[in-house]
Amino acid sequence: MRVSAAITQRELLALFCSPIGYVVVAGYWLVIGVMALMQSTFMPGALATLRDIFIWSPFILAIVVPAMTMRTLAEEYRSGTFEALMTAPVTDGQVVFGKYFAALLFYLFMLAGTLPLPILMQVFGELDWGETLALYLGLLLLGCLYVACSVFASSLTRDQAVAWILSAIPLMLIVFGAQYFVSTTEGHLREALRHLDIMGRFALFARGQLPTDGVVFFLALALLFLFLTVKVVESRRWR
């Protein structure tokens, strides 16, 4: 436990010292700020809700999160520190989960920067805090999945740009592809694709719902990608 905490602390410090991390976070805040200005949410008499501001988060975060975490293991490979890390008294699982939790904490720091929005809405109107909390839970679950997927992609290569491509492109294709085919197909195929519809699942949280199958979906896939990452790290240990 202490070993994982030490790895998390080391990785988190590296993220906060990385200029790329701050550029990515600032870019995300800028996009959310622009989307907030484009909506009529802050207009007099408008419904006080964050739903319209964050509805495209599955697509936006598919770009942002891989950029934030692409260095996680790829940089260890490139710099040669991975070999030294593997000789330390740590397990592969401790390495992977330590880095994962560090990236997830950095993601939470990024989300925390959006908290002024609900506070401002509460000042100027009656915000539905139940819906808001459900939305942020959806963002947290989305982050759990995207960070796990990005860490897995980073474990496959020593090039950070390639790690971003291996994570961001599939996520964007799944987000838009699943939603498109769900809206254009019928029958059993549609029902099967609905299970992969990340945008649709997140929309339920954005509307204030707490679907149990949605929680299981995001967490189960996150654990699957973490398991695959551990297996990749294990294979590299014995090369």
Side-chain angles (χ1 to χ4, degrees):
M1 192 70 178
R2 291 182 179 179
V3 176
S4 294
I7 295 174
T8 298
Q9 184 177 9
R10 169 181 172 270
E11 187 67 19
L12 192 59
L13 181 62
L15 285 168
F16 275 105
C17 292
S18 169
I20 296 178
Y22 286 105
V23 170
V24 171
V25 169
Y28 176 74
W29 289 344
L30 177 62
V31 170
I32 293 300
V34 170
M35 293 189 70
L37 293 174
M38 290 173 60
Q39 303 297 327
S40 60
T41 308
F42 290 98
M43 299 294 291
L47 181 64
T49 177
L50 296 173
R51 186 190 313 161
D52 295 334
I53 298 174
F54 287 95
I55 195 62
W56 289 103
S57 288
F59 179 74
I60 296 171
L61 291 174
I63 302 172
V64 170
V65 173
M68 184 176 66
T69 58
M70 60 186 179
R71 61 168 301 280
T72 306
L73 283 163
E75 179 63 19
E76 298 278 6
Y77 301 155
R78 188 197 64 80
S79 63
T81 55
F82 179 77
E83 288 75 12
L85 185 63
M86 290 296 97
T87 59
V90 295
T91 65
D92 301 319
Q94 288 173 331
V95 171
V96 171
F97 279 92
K99 289 180 172 291
Y100 172 75
F101 285 122
L104 193 58
L105 287 172
F106 194 75
Y107 173 80
L108 291 177
F109 162 73
M110 184 177 72
L111 286 187
T114 67
L115 291 179
L117 289 175
I119 294 173
L120 285 173
M121 284 190 180
Q122 180 62 37
V123 171
F124 293 104
E126 289 295 328
L127 182 66
D128 185 341
W129 282 101
E131 178 185 284
T132 301
L133 292 175
L135 184 146
Y136 272 95
L137 174 61
L139 289 172
L140 173 59
L141 292 170
L142 200 62
C144 289
L145 172 56
Y146 281 13
V147 171
C149 180
S150 301
V151 172
F152 171 67
S154 183
S155 72
L156 298 175
T157 177
R158 63 176 58 237
D159 190 303
Q160 295 185 33
V162 174
W164 181 87
I165 293 172
L166 290 175
S167 180
I169 301 302
L171 284 175
M172 287 188 287
L173 289 175
I174 291 173
V175 168
F176 271 139
Q179 188 180 47
Y180 171 76
F181 286 113
V182 164
S183 62
T184 57
T185 57
E186 298 292 340
H188 296 296
L189 179 59
R190 180 179 181 179
E191 291 303 316
L193 291 171
R194 193 187 295 276
H195 293 293
L196 298 176
D197 186 7
I198 295 177
M199 187 77 79
R201 288 185 179 277
F202 176 76
L204 295 178
F205 289 94
R207 291 198 293 267
Q209 301 179 35
L210 296 175
T212 304
D213 61 333
V215 176
V216 173
F217 171 81
F218 287 114
L219 293 182
L221 278 184
L223 288 174
L224 173 61
F225 278 110
L226 288 173
F227 171 78
L228 293 175
T229 306
V230 172
K231 292 303 178 182
V232 172
V233 172
E234 284 180 356
S235 68
R236 284 186 173 270
R237 179 190 286 271
W238 301 112
R239 285 185 183 179

